[in-house]
Amino acid sequence: MVDEPDDMSSAARVVAGAAQDIGSFIRSQREAAQVSLRQLAQLAGVSNPYLSQIERGLRKPSADVLAQIAKGLRVSSEVLYVQAGILEQRPHSPVRDALLADGAITERQKQVLLEIYESFCRENDPQQSESADQADSSDEEEHEIADPPRQEIRE
């Protein structure tokens, strides 16, 4: 019998730890929202046993399932993605936090507003705008090739 390499067992521990972390986070959010396991399972469109396994750290949900759970909990799916290790946490700001907490707009609308806000922040930050300008110039070159300029027709 061949022993597993140490890095494989450590990788398995990391995955198990992440599953446990997201599960306990979902449970705490569910309890804070005063929603039963059955109610959340129904809202998220998953079975009771599957949601229970997620909360106990026995299963690591996919991004789609996390999005459904987030919708059921009425929290941003980004919060769950960060907690699950799918996305990196972005710096906090009052504007960002307020947008993510707002229940009057959809997740897609939140994302669009955050992208606009972040583009303004990059534009106003000289260091970020230099790196963004370099990226934009390479994007513009691609657009010039893909979309030739339109000629005006004059009468």
Side-chain angles (χ1 to χ4, degrees):
M1 191 166 167
V2 178
D3 289 333
E4 251 184 43
D6 286 337
D7 59 346
M8 290 297 284
S9 60
S10 67
R13 282 192 298 271
V14 168
V15 170
Q20 185 66 42
D21 290 348
I22 187 62
S24 60
F25 182 78
I26 289 171
R27 174 177 280 157
S28 67
Q29 292 297 306
R30 177 179 61 77
E31 289 171 350
Q34 298 180 343
V35 175
S36 73
L37 183 81
R38 287 184 183 192
Q39 289 172 322
L40 180 57
Q42 185 177 16
L43 290 169
V46 298
S47 70
N48 294 347
Y50 181 61
L51 182 58
S52 175
Q53 290 173 350
I54 290 170
E55 285 190 356
R56 290 181 287 142
L58 302 175
R59 300 263 183 170
K60 186 165 184 185
S62 69
D64 289 338
V65 171
L66 283 174
Q68 291 171 256
I69 291 171
K71 190 174 182 179
L73 289 171
R74 302 190 76 181
V75 299
S76 168
S77 55
E78 183 178 1
V79 170
L80 292 185
Y81 292 159
V82 168
Q83 193 68 32
I86 295 172
L87 285 178
E88 288 185 26
Q89 188 166 10
R90 296 179 185 176
H92 289 281
S93 77
V95 172
R96 178 175 182 66
D97 294 343
L99 276 173
L100 291 175
D102 194 331
I105 58 177
T106 67
E107 289 298 314
R108 179 69 185 130
Q109 291 167 334
K110 290 176 187 180
Q111 285 304 117
V112 169
L113 288 171
L114 285 172
E115 288 171 13
I116 293 168
Y117 172 71
E118 288 169 359
S119 72
F120 286 147
C121 290
R122 282 192 304 271
E123 186 177 307
N124 294 336
D125 183 1
Q127 288 180 335
Q128 284 187 358
S129 65
E130 286 176 15
S131 61
D133 288 343
Q134 291 171 354
D136 287 344
S137 66
S138 65
D139 287 347
E140 287 172 9
E141 291 169 7
E142 291 174 15
H143 290 297
E144 288 176 358
I145 294 169
D147 299 324
R150 296 182 188 167
Q151 295 178 346
E152 290 184 29
I153 301 173
R154 295 183 184 182
E155 294 183 33

